[in-house]
Amino acid sequence: MNLFNKNISKQLFGLDRYTKRAIAIIIDVLLCVIAVWLAFFIRLEEFILLKDISYTPVLLSVVLAIPIFWIFGVYRTLFRYAGLSILNTISLSTFVYGLVYFSIISIYGIKDVPRSIGILQPVLLFIGVLSSRFFTKYLLTGTFNSSGDKKNKENILIYGAGSAGRQLLTSLENNSLYKVVGFLDDNPQLHRQYLLGQKIYNPNKIEDLKRIKDINLVLFAIPSISKSKKNEIIKKLNKEKLVVKSLPNVNDIIDEKISISNIKDFLADDLLVRDPVEPDQKLLNKNIELKSVLVTGAGGTIGSELCRQIIKLNPKQLVLLELNEFNLYDLYNELTELNKNLKIIPLLSNVQDQKKLEKIIETFKVDTIYHAAAYKHVPLVEANICEGVRNNVFGTLSVAKASINQKVQNLVLISSDKAVRPTNIMGASKRLAELCMQSLHDVNDKINTNFSIVRFGNVINSSGSAIPKFKNQIREGGPITLTHPDVTRYFMTIPEASQLVIQAGALGKNAEVFLLDMGESVKIIDLIKRMINFSGLSIRDKDNKDGDIEIEIIGLRSGEKLYEELLIGDNPQKTIHPKIKMTDEPLIPFNQLEKSLDQLLNLLDNHQADEVKKFLEKTIKLYNSNSEITDYLHLEKKISEDNNDLLSENKKDNVVKLK
């Protein structure tokens, strides 16, 4: 594409959707006029000025063409994707227009207008409209070719012959990777019909279609389908070793919010067998609407999603508290793009600094705090015991005290299922953080702050979770490493977890622990198998030695449990939300806990990781570590001490020998 075309292309791309449509309509009005003039020129076989032509056929053409083109979606089609679909759309719309125009001009008749104009003008208009679209496509893309190099394209099918499927096909026409060769749809009335030039097939005949049309990939385009039905369809396709890919939201293609580059191997949400829990809008709004909200750990997986949910709920302002500069910068830019009218305050700070926290709360008149700042990765916390405990426990204590002192209305602590009968430092530190919240609330009779604790399982696709690791291992051809064949976990989506935090915060008052009824826990090996199947691959094992991906059992990691729990006791109570339960769990009196925390702080200041672990085992009765201490500082210190002892022994031996 030359420099002139590039400049025009850049200017056209910069226009908003409505301006582009207005330009298209103006062009079509001009084409209607030109088509009438050319029709008269051809019919009379002599040059004739536009002013000498009757205005009736011109006005009639404009009045008929623009509404008909609008109804048939001519102005909703993206010019840069002009191809077979635009040809079909323009052909059908101009055919309908031509019938009406011919009926009025040629059959009914208009004075001083030759009847042949009723045939010539629609044909010329069709040529003009089609040419204008392909010429615009050339300005935008530098080519008239709508399909590119077909030899290098991958043949695919689109599952779903609805509006989302149509838009997906339109978007794919100019794509260099995929060539659509048909639709699949469960509706038998659509079978053997054609949509935008592509045949609609019965999904039950996928085995023959795969062989005849050389198909390895199916794009999913049914956004409104239930999770169970979607999993059933994907399972059927996986039997034929077909890769299933999805878009985050197929409907977003219509609004040009996403492109085909957003196609994913599969959505992490698809791994959930159950349907996500629907939120209660009243509970979502209660502590956020028209309030000043602060999120600690705003740059993390849960913290950032909390922020995305909060800005939808009309807060007065949103304060982001984060220690990681890049995460804060990235999130702030994202949120300001999503909501340009909301006041968003990005603050670099450590939650352990209570005085600064109080100053922040006072300055921004914070009403609600969501405390998501924590170290959560089990192996890392196990290897950095002192820093993990300091952040998770004393960070929470600092936030809780600051909230009480500044009379914050609501404080929500985000906890973990690993806090229940913990077997690792991360879980033990989160349970101790819960105890701090419960004891602080218990000792303050006239407290003005509503405390809530939200405990949930693993979040699919969160940073550091197993899902991205499994994806990479599948991409690299395996093996997929699994700690134990019987390991199970509870799972939820990131938005679902964030909405639960907000709703539970609206329910809490007296430091109750809230948990989600997440159904049955999921065996990780079953989840891995689904991931392999979603990728169109097979499992290699003793029963299928020719499979694609092997699952390798490597043993439980330090501090890891076979299964997670959400409840310490056995007395969960119902709440007004059908999927949220509440429990009152045993606490430690604050005067006793405060003395213990002073002792713990002293141990942390002196980096005594082994003593910190002993302290947690003594304080948290249900903590039962299943691993040797792996803290790096402790191990390095122990190695150094052992080496010194060895040197001392050698010196003694040398002294004896000298004597």
Side-chain angles (χ1 to χ4, degrees):
M1 194 188 299
N2 59 38
L3 185 60
F4 176 72
N5 280 1
K6 285 183 178 179
N7 290 333
I8 294 178
S9 176
K10 187 176 181 181
Q11 291 174 0
L12 289 173
F13 274 128
L15 299 174
D16 63 74
R17 188 191 326 165
Y18 302 105
T19 304
K20 292 174 186 175
R21 287 180 182 174
I23 292 172
I25 291 171
I26 291 169
I27 290 171
D28 287 349
V29 170
L30 293 174
L31 289 172
C32 288
V33 176
I34 293 170
V36 172
W37 175 69
L38 285 174
F40 270 92
F41 178 73
I42 293 170
R43 169 65 179 80
L44 301 176
E45 296 183 355
E46 63 179 45
F47 183 80
I48 183 171
L49 295 175
L50 191 61
K51 65 183 182 66
D52 296 329
I53 298 174
S54 170
Y55 290 116
T56 304
V58 175
L59 291 174
L60 181 64
S61 176
V62 173
V63 169
L64 288 176
I66 303 306
I68 290 173
F69 287 178
W70 184 276
I71 291 169
F72 279 86
V74 172
Y75 302 119
R76 292 196 299 272
T77 304
L78 306 178
F79 285 11
R80 63 181 177 274
Y81 297 132
L84 181 61
S85 64
I86 191 68
L87 175 61
N88 291 336
T89 304
I90 292 174
S91 298
L92 184 60
S93 57
T94 49
F95 176 74
V96 173
Y97 160 81
L99 283 178
V100 180
Y101 195 79
F102 171 78
S103 300
I104 297 172
I105 299 291
S106 302
I107 298 177
Y108 180 76
I110 295 177
K111 186 180 179 182
D112 298 329
V113 178
R115 294 182 184 273
S116 57
I117 299 297
I119 298 173
L120 290 171
Q121 198 272 350
V123 173
L124 292 169
L125 181 63
F126 168 74
I127 296 170
V129 172
L130 195 63
S131 300
S132 70
R133 268 46 178 185
F134 280 99
F135 180 71
T136 305
K137 175 184 171 64
Y138 175 74
L139 290 178
L140 293 172
T141 64
T143 178
F144 289 114
N145 186 4
S146 64
S147 53
D149 187 2
K150 294 185 178 182
K151 292 181 181 178
N152 296 326
K153 286 191 173 190
E154 181 177 0
N155 290 346
I156 65 168
L157 293 168
I158 295 176
Y159 205 115
S163 59
R166 290 196 299 272
Q167 291 296 333
L168 185 54
L169 174 61
T170 302
S171 298
L172 283 166
E173 283 182 348
N174 199 48
N175 188 270
S176 60
L177 299 176
Y178 307 121
K179 177 189 173 186
V180 179
V181 294
F183 286 92
L184 296 171
D185 201 284
D186 293 320
N187 186 350
Q189 294 181 350
L190 297 178
H191 298 165
R192 298 183 183 179
Q193 302 295 318
Y194 283 84
L195 177 62
L196 300 180
Q198 298 294 342
K199 192 173 181 179
I200 303 171
Y201 297 97
N202 184 345
N204 293 330
K205 298 183 178 179
I206 188 65
E207 184 179 355
D208 295 333
L209 284 170
K210 180 188 175 184
R211 185 183 70 256
I212 295 169
K213 294 188 173 289
D214 189 26
I215 304 295
N216 291 305
L217 172 64
V218 176
L219 296 188
F220 208 84
I222 315 178
S224 59
I225 196 170
S226 69
K227 183 63 64 69
S228 57
K229 180 63 177 175
K230 185 174 183 178
N231 284 332
E232 182 184 323
I233 291 171
I234 292 174
K235 189 176 181 180
K236 186 189 298 182
L237 296 174
N238 291 156
K239 286 182 179 179
E240 302 301 326
K241 287 194 173 184
L242 287 167
V243 179
V244 181
K245 293 192 177 186
S246 305
L247 282 160
N249 186 348
V250 184
N251 287 331
D252 283 345
I253 298 176
I254 301 170
D255 299 322
E256 301 180 59
K257 293 178 182 176
I258 56 174
S259 66
I260 298 306
S261 61
N262 293 97
I263 290 175
K264 307 296 181 185
D265 292 339
F266 53 82
L267 298 182
D269 295 3
D270 293 336
L271 297 174
L272 276 181
V273 177
R274 61 177 178 82
D275 288 322
V277 177
E278 290 298 319
D280 183 318
Q281 197 61 42
K282 288 183 180 179
L283 292 178
L284 287 176
N285 289 332
K286 184 179 176 184
N287 291 341
I288 293 176
E289 191 172 21
L290 301 177
K291 294 183 184 293
S292 178
V293 183
L294 183 149
V295 178
T296 73
T301 302
I302 295 297
S304 59
E305 183 61 31
L306 268 173
C307 294
R308 294 183 193 100
Q309 298 291 334
I310 288 167
I311 64 173
K312 299 175 185 176
L313 300 171
N314 193 30
K316 183 166 64 178
Q317 64 183 6
L318 176 60
V319 183
L320 314 175
L321 201 68
E322 175 59 54
L323 192 57
N324 184 299
E325 180 192 22
F326 176 76
N327 286 358
L328 182 62
Y329 169 80
D330 200 38
L331 178 66
Y332 176 70
N333 284 339
E334 178 190 345
L335 296 179
T336 49
E337 283 297 315
L338 291 173
N339 192 337
K340 291 182 170 63
N341 300 318
L342 177 65
K343 184 180 180 182
I344 301 174
I345 303 102
L347 299 175
L348 282 167
S349 185
N350 192 325
V351 291
Q352 297 172 45
D353 189 341
Q354 184 182 329
K355 288 185 178 179
K356 186 173 181 181
L357 266 175
E358 291 193 27
K359 187 66 178 175
I360 290 169
I361 294 168
E362 180 185 17
T363 302
F364 298 105
K365 297 178 175 58
V366 174
D367 300 302
T368 301
I369 297 177
Y370 296 99
H371 179 40
Y375 293 141
K376 64 176 185 177
H377 301 299
V378 171
L380 276 180
V381 175
E382 207 73 20
N384 297 272
I385 291 175
C386 292
E387 195 55 41
V389 172
R390 185 189 297 274
N391 187 64
N392 292 358
V393 176
F394 289 95
T396 300
L397 194 64
S398 173
V399 174
K401 286 182 176 180
S403 300
I404 293 171
N405 293 344
Q406 293 298 320
K407 296 180 173 57
V408 172
Q409 293 177 15
N410 305 284
L411 170 62
V412 184
L413 167 66
I414 297 167
S415 190
S416 165
D417 57 358
K418 292 173 178 60
V420 180
R421 288 181 256 278
T423 59
N424 50 62
I425 298 295
M426 185 277 208
S429 66
K430 293 299 283 184
R431 178 56 188 145
L432 187 52
E434 292 180 355
L435 288 169
C436 289
M437 288 271 288
Q438 293 170 319
S439 299
L440 261 178
H441 189 280
D442 184 63
V443 78
N444 288 276
D445 296 331
K446 297 180 180 179
I447 187 171
N448 295 309
T449 306
N450 296 325
F451 278 14
S452 309
I453 299 167
V454 188
R455 193 186 284 160
F456 51 77
N458 293 267
V459 178
I460 283 186
N461 238 20
S462 65
S463 62
S465 72
I467 307 298
K469 185 185 79 170
F470 293 156
K471 280 185 178 180
N472 287 334
Q473 289 176 333
I474 290 172
R475 198 173 293 117
E476 292 169 3
I480 294 181
T481 53
L482 175 63
T483 55
H484 194 284
D486 295 326
V487 69
T488 64
R489 293 290 182 268
Y490 290 101
F491 283 100
M492 63 170 58
T493 66
I494 298 174
E496 187 179 25
S498 301
Q499 289 168 358
L500 169 66
V501 169
I502 294 171
Q503 292 171 94
L507 292 170
K509 188 174 182 180
N510 301 315
E512 304 94 339
V513 176
F514 293 94
L515 46 101
L516 176 67
D517 180 4
M518 299 174 67
E520 297 295 324
S521 59
V522 178
K523 288 189 76 170
I524 302 299
I525 194 166
D526 292 338
L527 183 140
I528 290 173
K529 288 176 180 178
R530 281 204 293 278
M531 290 181 70
I532 293 172
N533 288 334
F534 282 8
S535 301
L537 303 171
S538 61
I539 300 166
R540 187 190 311 145
D541 54 24
K542 60 181 181 180
D543 297 324
N544 182 17
K545 294 182 180 179
D546 296 325
D548 304 299
I549 305 290
E550 183 183 358
I551 300 174
E552 180 183 340
I553 307 300
I554 59 173
L556 289 172
R557 298 175 300 178
S558 178
E560 190 174 24
K561 297 167 72 173
L562 265 181
Y563 60 93
E564 303 288 3
E565 306 167 86
L566 292 168
L567 188 64
I568 291 177
D570 55 359
N571 60 336
Q573 303 164 30
K574 292 182 178 180
T575 67
I576 60 173
H577 193 295
K579 290 293 184 178
I580 298 178
K581 294 183 179 179
M582 179 182 70
T583 177
D584 288 318
E585 297 190 346
L587 55 82
I588 300 173
F590 186 73
N591 57 353
Q592 177 185 336
L593 183 64
E594 193 172 29
K595 293 177 183 177
S596 298
L597 290 174
D598 290 339
Q599 178 190 350
L600 175 61
L601 189 58
N602 183 57
L603 295 173
L604 294 174
D605 289 340
N606 291 291
H607 306 290
Q608 294 179 266
D610 51 344
E611 293 301 321
V612 169
K613 187 173 182 181
K614 289 176 184 177
F615 170 89
L616 292 173
E617 290 172 343
K618 179 182 176 183
T619 306
I620 302 170
K621 303 300 182 184
L622 295 175
Y623 174 37
N624 181 23
S625 175
N626 63 4
S627 65
E628 296 294 326
I629 189 167
T630 58
D631 183 276
Y632 287 128
L633 281 176
H634 174 77
L635 290 177
E636 193 66 28
K637 181 181 176 184
K638 191 172 185 299
I639 291 169
S640 179
E641 288 174 352
D642 290 344
N643 287 339
N644 288 336
D645 291 342
L646 185 61
L647 286 172
S648 298
E649 288 295 327
N650 289 337
K651 285 180 181 178
K652 288 179 183 178
D653 290 342
N654 290 334
V655 169
V656 171
K657 288 176 182 177
L658 285 171
K659 286 182 178 180

